Amino acid sequence: MKYLSTRGGAERLTFEEAVLQGLAPNGGLYVPESIPTLPADWATAWQDVPFTELSFQLLSLFVPPTEAEGGIPREDLRELINKSYASFRHEQVTPLHRVSEHEWCLELWHGPTFAFKDVALQLLGHLFEYFLARRNAKSSTPHTLTVLGATSGDTGSAAIAGLRAKANIHVFILHPQGRVSPIQEAQMTTVLDENVHNLAVPGTFDDCQDIVKALFSDKAFNDAHHLGAINSINWARILSQIVYYFAAYFALRRAHPTVDASRVQIVVPTGNFGDILAGFYAKRLGLPMERLVVATNENDILQRFWATGRYEKDTAAAGDVRATLSPAMDIQVSSNFERLLWYLAYETAPGPDKAADAGSQVAAWMQQLKSTGAMAVSEAQHAIACRDFSAERVSDDETRAAILRYYRADADRASYLIDPHTAVGFEAANRVATRQPQIILSTAHPAKFSEAVVSSIAPASSEQEATAFFHTHVLPKEMHGLLDKERRVTHVDIAPGPDKLAALIARTKEIIERDGFQV
Ligand SMILES: *Cc1c(COP(=O)(O)O)cnc(C)c1O
């Protein structure tokens, strides 16, 4: 199994190369050259196995078994998977919770940072460490990785949890000082491992992103420090997430044998299209399901694509994105959507070399998006997208109402507290409701977004009442005392001057040179 770029070219990478490289040199994303075939007996052979075994079986389809092929010997793969999910608090890793007669919630937040990104980043951290150690065993020049990222909260804490204490890796995460929620800030800065560096930037999230972009495009600095990205375009992140779609299917069948699991609608709160893209791969592999539902917040480029077939930036939004109650889904364009576009192009390609046709089509689309802010697929391609997916847009008011509605018990269901991202999913699910079963993916624990949750449930409460409510009803016991723990954070301190961004970039470089690998 080799990997190719969505933007074409002759490059064919091994799994190892695709994971370490992240983004293709031509700007494309790596996709597997074909969709593997499931074993004929998968539906019975896998039905009772634990999550780690399911993960092993599915990953084995995409990862060759030898080092020579850029793969991973089977016993090593098994160990990497077992280590990755040993950090989860629930024995099922991603348990399925029944909310009402037709609704089930797939809880993806039982990992170290209480967000779904742990499922992928726990594994990615182990893969990075494994590949670096393997390369170092054969080479006299050390292979190291300096992971650099900007965060408004969720990605940073999950990346830090995945990379802490990993050999040959330093991780630098930039966050806007004082603009990250207290819980998220504590989750990042109370990790004291010496390879973890939290940089507090006196500025906005956009400033953090600008610094990161500047360092990645600084070729000399990048070559010296081997910068690595941890964002959601890495193929290993998508791959690891395919597993929980299968886990949900089997959990539903086991617990409710009379429910027709093959008619299920799966609803996914969506930002960069990574989580739901894994569902698309599950569907293409042959997992029975009715349809995937894309649930967006007011940053609705995906919802508009399904309505019109046009993928068009929101020019009415002031700045690049609309700030909503579900910040992890505040995006202008969805990076992983390019992979779906590749499949739409591939299926409608004239051939004989469909992969090459698809690559040139996607490259042209991306060029158009960059120069005009919009691109469109053909009617046939739009029809294919609508066969597998539908899409709904959910406003902040609807998000708040959904949090409150599910918190209040009624005749049909017990009280269930959800975070604002998950609430976008539940609201979308209600809209497309039929009498068929629905699985809604829950992407974060409500404690991570306590302000939105508490104010939705008790809008009129005083600050004191809200704090008391938060401690008794929202905060999980594992987070008690988190805010008081010892912290370590490096301030990107700069002298006032005319060019603030240039000063921030220069200071960040100094900090990485001082605290990271000596090169
Ligand atoms: C990252 C994130 C999402 C969006 O996932 P994508 O893969 O980017 O679509 C949704 N909810 C939460 C809580 C997240 O952290």
Side-chain angles (χ1 to χ4, degrees):
M1 172 73 75
K2 289 281 180 70
Y3 291 84
L4 50 97
S5 166
T6 49
R7 298 193 193 175
E11 191 191 27
R12 293 291 179 275
L13 262 56
T14 63
F15 177 74
E16 173 178 353
E17 290 164 340
V19 170
L20 287 177
Q21 179 123 348
L23 194 69
N26 63 12
L29 279 60
Y30 292 114
V31 288
E33 60 188 350
S34 63
I35 305 271
T37 312
L38 295 178
D41 64 346
W42 71 272
T44 47
W46 297 353
Q47 64 183 346
D48 295 317
V49 305
F51 184 93
T52 45
E53 176 65 19
L54 203 50
S55 177
F56 174 74
Q57 294 295 340
L58 282 159
L59 266 57
S60 295
L61 301 172
F62 292 89
V63 182
T66 67
E67 179 177 353
E69 298 163 286
I72 304 177
R74 289 304 175 241
E75 57 277 27
D76 292 354
L77 181 62
R78 211 179 266 284
E79 195 188 323
L80 291 170
I81 291 169
N82 288 346
K83 281 198 286 195
S84 300
Y85 298 109
S87 61
F88 278 61
R89 294 175 303 278
H90 199 289
E91 54 160 13
Q92 286 165 34
V93 181
T94 58
L96 189 68
H97 171 87
R98 189 175 204 169
V99 177
S100 72
E101 192 186 345
H102 299 290
E103 295 163 301
W104 283 263
C105 185
L106 186 66
E107 297 178 345
L108 301 177
W109 41 257
H110 292 275
T113 73
F114 292 79
F116 100 99
K117 291 188 171 67
D118 288 329
V119 176
L121 287 170
Q122 286 292 305
L123 182 71
L124 188 62
H126 283 290
L127 288 174
F128 278 161
E129 186 180 52
Y130 177 81
F131 288 138
L132 289 172
R134 191 158 85 178
R135 291 184 171 199
N136 282 330
K138 290 184 305 197
S139 138
S140 51
T141 44
H143 289 265
T144 59
L145 196 62
T146 299
V147 172
L148 179 63
T151 190
S152 55
D154 252 21
T155 309
S157 45
I160 287 170
L163 294 172
R164 64 187 296 180
K166 296 283 187 287
N168 301 308
I169 298 174
H170 272 285
V171 53
F172 290 84
I173 299 293
L174 281 63
H175 69 265
Q177 189 176 335
R179 298 185 196 219
V180 179
S181 86
I183 291 279
Q184 291 186 327
E185 188 176 334
Q187 281 185 314
M188 294 193 286
T189 58
T190 58
V191 177
L192 302 178
D193 300 79
E194 57 94 23
N195 75 326
V196 171
H197 311 273
N198 280 286
L199 272 51
V201 173
T204 62
F205 173 59
D206 286 339
D207 292 329
C208 296
Q209 275 194 310
D210 287 344
I211 298 168
V212 169
K213 275 187 209 153
L215 297 194
F216 270 102
S217 53
D218 181 335
K219 192 167 180 319
F221 188 80
N222 197 338
D223 286 350
H225 290 273
H226 308 286
L227 296 186
I230 194 92
N231 45 20
S232 71
I233 50 89
N234 196 298
W235 166 250
R237 286 185 65 173
I238 308 297
L239 178 58
S240 62
Q241 294 173 169
I242 298 174
V243 180
Y244 49 69
Y245 287 86
F246 281 81
Y249 171 79
F250 288 121
L252 185 60
R253 267 191 15 189
R254 276 196 305 270
H256 310 285
T258 57
V259 171
D260 183 356
S262 66
R263 303 256 349 259
V264 75
Q265 287 182 336
I266 305 185
V267 188
V268 187
T270 298
N272 270 325
F273 206 74
D275 198 358
I276 197 165
L277 182 75
F280 170 78
Y281 278 105
K283 198 168 193 284
R284 283 298 152 95
L285 279 164
L287 185 70
M289 67 179 81
E290 187 91 330
R291 191 180 271 175
L292 290 154
V293 181
V294 179
T296 78
N297 66 22
E298 292 168 20
N299 295 286
D300 59 357
I301 184 167
L302 291 169
Q303 185 273 329
R304 288 182 285 113
F305 170 79
W306 263 278
T308 64
R310 275 175 70 76
Y311 191 64
E312 185 165 23
K313 287 184 192 169
D314 180 0
T315 45
D320 283 349
V321 294
R322 294 167 194 270
T324 72
L325 290 176
S326 41
M329 289 152 52
D330 288 350
I331 47 89
Q332 188 187 31
V333 294
S334 290
S335 44
N336 273 296
F337 186 63
E338 182 167 339
R339 286 191 166 107
L340 180 67
L341 286 173
W342 189 85
Y343 286 97
L344 300 180
Y346 183 90
E347 281 189 32
T348 50
D353 189 346
K354 283 173 171 262
D357 296 341
S360 2
Q361 171 77 87
V362 171
W365 277 335
M366 289 300 132
Q367 186 52 45
Q368 206 180 356
L369 182 67
K370 192 174 164 192
S371 55
T372 69
M375 53 140 293
V377 300
S378 72
E379 245 172 73
Q381 290 162 334
H382 188 230
I384 295 172
C386 293
R387 188 184 67 201
D388 291 320
F389 298 88
S390 67
E392 296 291 328
R393 168 197 202 265
V394 174
S395 71
D396 270 359
D397 285 345
E398 292 165 321
T399 304
R400 284 190 189 283
I403 294 172
L404 181 58
R405 198 162 70 242
Y406 281 86
Y407 175 66
R408 286 190 175 139
D410 65 23
D412 297 323
R413 63 168 184 253
S415 168
Y416 188 58
L417 192 59
I418 51 180
D419 98 288
H421 304 79
T422 307
V424 168
F426 272 89
E427 174 62 22
N430 286 185
R431 261 192 237 157
V432 297
T434 53
R435 292 194 60 76
Q436 74 201 68
Q438 292 184 307
I439 294 176
I440 298 98
L441 270 48
S442 176
T443 50
H445 187 285
K448 294 203 78 168
F449 301 93
S450 58
E451 230 168 85
V453 171
V454 173
S455 64
S456 300
I457 290 168
S461 64
S462 68
E463 200 178 316
Q464 227 173 3
E465 286 166 335
T467 308
F469 179 89
F470 175 68
H471 277 275
T472 31
H473 296 283
V474 187
L475 197 68
K477 64 175 189 310
E478 293 85 353
M479 281 195 204
H480 287 181
L482 178 69
L483 294 172
D484 307 320
K485 277 196 186 161
E486 184 188 348
R487 302 181 183 213
R488 199 179 77 221
V489 58
T490 307
H491 292 274
V492 185
D493 46 342
I494 49 165
D499 193 344
K500 183 177 165 189
L501 183 61
L504 286 172
I505 292 168
R507 186 74 188 115
T508 304
K509 278 169 101 165
E510 282 171 14
I511 293 169
I512 294 173
E513 278 158 359
R514 184 189 69 196
D515 298 345
F517 292 107
Q518 302 305 309
V519 293

